[in-house]
Amino acid sequence: MESLIVGVSGVRGVVGEGLTPEVVVRFGAAFGTYLAGGRVVVGRDSRRSGQMMRDALVAGLVSTGCDVTDVGIVPTPTIQLAVEELETSGGVAITASHNPVEWNALKFVGAGGAFLSAGEGARLLDLYRAGTTQRVGWGDIGSITADRSAVDRHIERVLGLSVIDVDRIRERQYGVAIDCCNGGASIAFPQLLRSLGCAVVELNCEPSGLFPRDPEPVPRNLSELSQAVRKVQADVGFATDADGDRLSIVSNSGKPLGEEASLALAVSYVLAIRPGPVVANVSTSRAIDDIAARFGQPVIRSKVGEAHVVRAMRDSKAVIGGEGNGGVIFPELHYARDGMVGMAFVLASLAGQGVSVDELAGGLPRYHIVKESARATSATQDELTDIARSAFPDGSYDLTDGVKVMWENRWVHIRVSGTEPIVRIIAEAPEEEEASRMCSVVKERL
Ligand code: MG
């Protein structure tokens, strides 16, 4: 287990090192046992290891009597929506999301389409570790069927959302450049855009699994998209990671807005139509608080990770929520970070207000967020808290997830990553120098 990272709702590792077919078969059988049979939706991103992973996972699942519906190479939110629509016992997304190409992972989805909670994931892990899986005899082995319509159904559901005026978007015939990193969103994202009447310029939309850039859709990885937007004079550029749950936006002048802007714009759009509580994780920009305050709505902060955000959204009956890494969750569609719904909100905002992306972004609260990391995997919560207290004795503290120190208009957050062997340090302030300085102070002490 050393080189496997087990997170809230899944397991990830480097293929051929921690993550082998043997491990995947055992996780498949453990998940089948956990679900106690029924149907399981399986889908994946485009990584070269994906087919091997899929075959191993499916073998494990059917060996416990589960039937499998394979939805192919699709975005993770499409898998989650298929679980909900087909009313299956659960689902598995085979994707390492924003991690580099040598990684892969299993993300486990429960009935209803949300990722397993921490408690549910712990029960699955117990079954995996104990190896007490329920195998069936030859006559009861599960069936395997392919379903290639999950993307079409997902797009139909986005187009059917009552908060989006599809005709108004279509009338504008937006020019859109899209970079899917040759990942799992490569077919679905351009297809949604075309169905919204956009003229689409596709960059890296071959689901080959050969990533031409780092899959994380952060500004430093989007230079090709920025150039394309300028060259073809597109109205907007969109980028996503390898599995389509994180969305980044490039403006009409070719400027990456930063992944924090995606949720900020979505919150702004939705609250104007559906006032209600907002949920974001503790690492997400303060811009969300400022926007919610304009509409007189509260912001609830959760731990980092989709499962935690979703739990808080259900508890607070939030109308919109997500994570600052570009993950937009709109419960009227489903409880999943969904880049497709994020793109639809951006286009609907443009069409509704008749403005450009630069103008739209100009209306967002101005903060600078700096995200750094340090190799300090053995750091405990107590050590992180001690470091923060000695470095920043005058702030107020939030220990929801790691340690967050806050002042009136700035904050710094330190936590051990759930997906990589690092400590994440994120700081935000009105001035970039101040945010960088707060990160440096923490890094020195780690
Ligand atoms: Mg992802």
Side-chain angles (χ1 to χ4, degrees), residues 12 76 95-99 107 240-246 337:
R12 65 178 74 203
T76 293
T95 173
S97 191
H98 62 274
N99 286 138
K107 294 204 232 174
T240 184
D241 64 344
D243 72 326
D245 57 355
R246 289 174 57 176
R337 293 184 305 188

Side-chain angles (χ1 to χ4, degrees), residues 87-353:
E87 297 180 358
T88 66
S89 301
V92 187
I94 303 167
T95 173
S97 191
H98 62 274
N99 286 138
V101 72
E102 65 270 24
W103 290 73
N104 213 330
L106 304 173
K107 294 204 232 174
F108 297 99
V109 179
F115 287 126
L116 298 193
S117 68
E120 293 165 338
R123 271 200 289 138
L124 170 62
L125 200 59
D126 284 345
L127 284 169
Y128 171 82
R129 290 195 170 124
T132 49
T133 43
Q134 302 288 328
R135 309 280 193 185
V136 297
W138 69 272
D140 295 315
I141 289 171
S143 65
I144 305 165
T145 47
D147 173 356
R148 293 293 174 263
S149 58
V151 164
D152 293 344
R153 293 197 303 271
H154 191 168
I155 289 172
E156 219 155 274
R157 290 284 299 276
V158 174
L159 299 181
L161 288 171
S162 63
V163 295
I164 293 171
D165 187 339
V166 170
D167 291 336
R168 184 142 67 171
I169 297 172
R170 285 179 177 152
E171 278 165 20
R172 302 266 178 180
Q173 301 181 349
Y174 288 116
V176 181
I178 173 116
D179 178 351
C180 291
C181 196
N182 291 342
S186 295
I187 304 297
F189 276 40
Q191 191 181 324
L192 170 69
L193 292 170
R194 282 191 292 270
S195 70
L196 286 167
C198 300
V200 183
V201 175
E202 297 185 12
L203 275 76
N204 309 319
C205 290
E206 284 290 324
S208 63
L210 301 174
F211 300 157
R213 59 166 169 85
D214 182 324
E216 197 164 21
V218 294
R220 66 172 180 277
N221 298 327
L222 304 182
S223 48
E224 192 187 353
L225 178 61
S226 291
Q227 281 171 19
V229 166
R230 280 192 218 104
K231 192 174 160 212
V232 304
Q233 297 188 315
D235 295 298
V236 60
F238 290 122
T240 184
D241 64 344
D243 72 326
D245 57 355
R246 289 174 57 176
L247 178 72
S248 273
I249 303 158
V250 167
S251 81
N252 48 302
S253 62
K255 183 173 165 254
L257 300 187
E259 67 278 15
E260 294 284 335
S262 304
L263 181 60
L265 289 175
V267 168
S268 208
Y269 179 75
V270 169
L271 288 188
I273 303 169
R274 293 260 195 286
V278 179
V279 171
N281 73 36
V282 286
S283 272
T284 299
S285 173
R286 271 195 49 83
I288 304 296
D289 303 76
D290 295 356
I291 294 165
R294 290 177 193 165
F295 295 94
Q297 297 301 326
V299 176
I300 294 103
R301 295 278 178 174
S302 76
K303 283 188 177 191
V304 175
E306 179 171 325
H308 296 299
V309 178
V310 165
R311 161 69 64 91
M313 288 181 72
R314 286 187 198 275
D315 290 348
S316 64
K317 298 194 167 50
V319 294
I320 178 82
E323 302 195 278
N325 59 14
V328 174
I329 302 173
F330 184 54
E332 279 182 43
L333 180 61
H334 59 159
Y335 280 106
R337 293 184 305 188
D338 190 330
M340 310 235 285
V341 79
M343 292 195 298
F345 285 158
V346 172
L347 294 171
S349 302
L350 296 178
Q353 298 181 39

